[in-house]
Amino acid sequence: MRSPLLTGLVSAVLWVLSALIVAVPASAQNPFERLVMPGPLIEGHAKLEKDCANCHVPFSPKAQDDLCLKCHKPVAADIANKKGMHGIRKDATANACRHCHADHKGRGADVAPFDKQTFDHTATNFALVGKHQSASCESCHKPAKKYREAPSKCADCHKSNDIHKGQLGADCASCHTADAWTKTKPFDHKATKFPLTGAHADVACQLCHAGERYKGVPVACASCHQKQDVHKERNGPKCESCHKTSAWWDVAFDHDKNTKFPLLGKHQDTPCSKCHEKDPHKVKLATTCMPCHTKDDVHKEKLGKECLSCHGEASWKKDTKHDHALSRFPLRGKHADAKCDACHKTKLYKDTPLACAACHAKKDAHEGRLGPGCGQCHNVTEWKHARFDHNDTKFRLTGRHAKATCYSCHSVRHVEKATLPTDCYACHKSQDRHRGAFGRNCGKCHTTATFGTAYIRN
């Protein structure tokens, strides 16, 4: 049990100490502070040694930590952001600064000692994994530099190893691992504008990225497959419109669905180059017949350019059709069975005459006396069976005229028209005994019954 005398003595001493501390200004170290100071500060804190209040607050350890962090702002930021050793290690955040950093040990003292061999680097912003675990501290932590100032980016240490010469940026870890610099992660090409599909997925990087070129690499098929382009650029540079990435020879192109020109008949067997050969850089071609079949047009365009109106796609020569009923000469009777070249002596077709005599001149027994209008007597069903009624004309045959032969009047051969004059004098001039004295209208006196007998009419 403490005696009353001892208790009073201790209280008196404490009162005197408190009075001295309060009485002396904070800006100057009082004699008592100099008397009780444990020892000199480290070199870095030497300028603070004149005033204990720079680092100490009487009876308030928490306030003392605030003074430390007020000067050591980077450490304060780490604690606030929970980064770095002071913001990650639990013992650093749970204890006061003086727990690890005791000062007053002299100018050359190390107040931040730690064992490099046992230091846990996971308590920093840069955990050591892979090859970094066996690297020496000096490899990253250079002399006269604080540990916290050591670089943390790959390019800071591995710039000399960057064979890409900075083309791929500074984030080396996106491809490289810490196990070995030459050991790379699988690169996800889907993150680029050129996803690797089909056979491209197995292609070595160097085949496209020659000389470690990654930016500006052309993505057009022709840039890599020019030698495989058997079309010699006739079909353009967009190889993907026909070829697949699964295999170059895996061609998928549906001319019927992908174009406005479905391939029918002989077109299905026609090689691509047959049509796509004139303009190597022109993929879209005309869909009319003439650009390809000009040499096949024996009609010399006299029948127009609509070849499909007669020709079919099964065969240019055999698969032909034409509706003659739509022409100026519909085929009826025996004409329907006649061969085309029987009338069309040339392939122009339009130069074929329509007159019967043009084809039937050899069969004209009249030798052209009755004119070219064979259709007035003959029909298309049978040439030999002719029918003509003169009474259907403007000159009805009566009397002796009805018994006269055709050639009696139609005596001139190869006439343009079978029409003859209808006045009597034209045929009976030689029989006019009156020598024209009574005019040329013989019918005033004569009848068709007999020319020799005359009747005087009023």
Side-chain angles (χ1 to χ4, degrees), residues 129-135 177-181:
V129 294
K131 287 290 186 179
H132 289 155
Q133 291 177 330
S134 57
T177 67
D179 294 330
W181 180 258

Side-chain angles (χ1 to χ4, degrees), residues 71-124:
C71 285
H72 298 279
K73 293 180 180 180
V75 177
D78 286 348
I79 295 174
N81 298 320
K82 297 181 179 180
K83 293 183 178 180
M85 186 188 73
H86 292 90
I88 296 175
R89 288 186 59 163
K90 293 182 179 180
D91 56 347
T93 57
N95 296 305
C97 301
R98 67 178 182 276
H99 180 78
C100 297
H101 307 290
D103 212 331
H104 295 289
K105 292 186 177 182
R107 294 289 190 262
D110 184 5
V111 296
F114 69 93
D115 189 350
K116 296 180 180 180
Q117 302 299 324
T118 61
F119 180 72
D120 185 3
H121 224 283
T122 57
T124 68

Side-chain angles (χ1 to χ4, degrees), residues 389-391 393 395-404 409 448:
D389 189 349
H390 218 286
N391 293 330
T393 69
F395 191 85
R396 296 174 60 85
L397 297 181
T398 59
R400 296 292 293 269
H401 284 164
K403 297 178 181 179
C409 299
T448 58

Side-chain angles (χ1 to χ4, degrees), residues 198-200 239-253:
H200 287 159
C239 311
E240 65 273 14
S241 60
C242 299
H243 298 272
K244 296 180 180 179
T245 57
S246 55
W248 178 259
W249 303 115
D250 186 10
V251 181
F253 181 75

Side-chain angles (χ1 to χ4, degrees), residues 362-384:
K362 293 182 179 180
K363 298 180 181 180
D364 183 13
H366 316 298
E367 296 181 337
R369 296 185 185 93
L370 302 183
C374 310
Q376 293 177 345
C377 301
H378 299 273
N379 59 63
V380 295
T381 305
E382 180 60 45
W383 177 261
K384 294 181 179 180

Side-chain angles (χ1 to χ4, degrees), residues 180-366:
W181 180 258
T182 56
K183 185 178 180 181
T184 57
K185 299 176 183 177
F187 179 72
D188 187 4
H189 227 280
K190 293 179 182 178
T192 70
K193 296 181 180 180
F194 193 86
L196 297 182
T197 59
H200 287 159
D202 300 326
V203 174
C205 304
Q206 293 83 354
L207 287 180
C208 298
H209 301 284
E212 296 297 332
R213 181 190 177 192
Y214 292 90
K215 287 188 177 181
V217 176
V219 295
C221 304
S223 61
C224 289
H225 296 284
Q226 188 174 14
K227 292 183 179 180
Q228 294 167 296
D229 182 14
V230 296
H231 317 298
K232 305 300 181 185
E233 297 185 4
R234 284 189 293 266
N235 295 349
K238 292 187 177 181
C239 311
E240 65 273 14
S241 60
C242 299
H243 298 272
K244 296 180 180 179
T245 57
S246 55
W248 178 259
W249 303 115
D250 186 10
V251 181
F253 181 75
D254 192 338
H255 214 286
D256 298 346
K257 294 181 180 179
N258 299 337
T259 71
K260 296 180 180 179
F261 191 84
L263 298 182
L264 306 174
K266 283 290 186 180
H267 288 154
Q268 292 179 331
D269 303 327
T270 303
C272 304
S273 57
K274 192 71 175 179
C275 299
H276 298 276
E277 65 177 353
K278 295 183 179 180
D279 190 345
H281 301 287
K282 190 174 183 180
V283 179
K284 293 184 178 180
L285 301 177
T287 56
T288 56
C289 306
M290 290 306 294
C292 288
H293 295 284
T294 302
K295 294 181 179 180
D296 299 315
D297 182 19
V298 295
H299 318 301
K300 308 299 180 185
E301 295 189 15
K302 296 296 183 181
L303 301 185
K305 297 181 179 182
E306 295 295 330
C307 308
L308 286 174
S309 60
C310 297
H311 295 273
E313 293 172 292
S315 173
W316 178 263
K317 294 182 178 180
K318 296 180 181 179
D319 184 18
T320 56
K321 56 184 182 298
H322 178 67
D323 189 356
H324 227 285
L326 300 177
S327 69
R328 293 182 296 165
F329 195 90
L331 298 181
R332 301 186 181 95
K334 288 291 186 178
H335 286 160
D337 300 329
K339 293 182 178 181
C340 300
D341 55 5
C343 300
H344 299 286
K345 302 303 180 181
T346 70
K347 298 298 182 180
L348 299 180
Y349 291 104
K350 282 192 174 183
D351 61 350
T352 302
L354 304 179
C356 305
C359 291
H360 299 285
K362 293 182 179 180
K363 298 180 181 180
D364 183 13
H366 316 298

Side-chain angles (χ1 to χ4, degrees), residues 149-205:
E149 295 177 356
S152 58
K153 294 181 179 180
C154 304
D156 294 329
C157 292
H158 298 284
K159 187 175 182 180
S160 60
N161 302 109
D162 183 15
I163 58 176
H164 316 301
K165 301 186 184 304
Q167 294 184 65
L168 303 185
D171 188 15
C172 310
S174 61
C175 297
H176 297 272
T177 67
D179 294 330
W181 180 258
T182 56
K183 185 178 180 181
T184 57
K185 299 176 183 177
F187 179 72
D188 187 4
H189 227 280
K190 293 179 182 178
T192 70
K193 296 181 180 180
F194 193 86
L196 297 182
T197 59
H200 287 159
D202 300 326
V203 174
C205 304

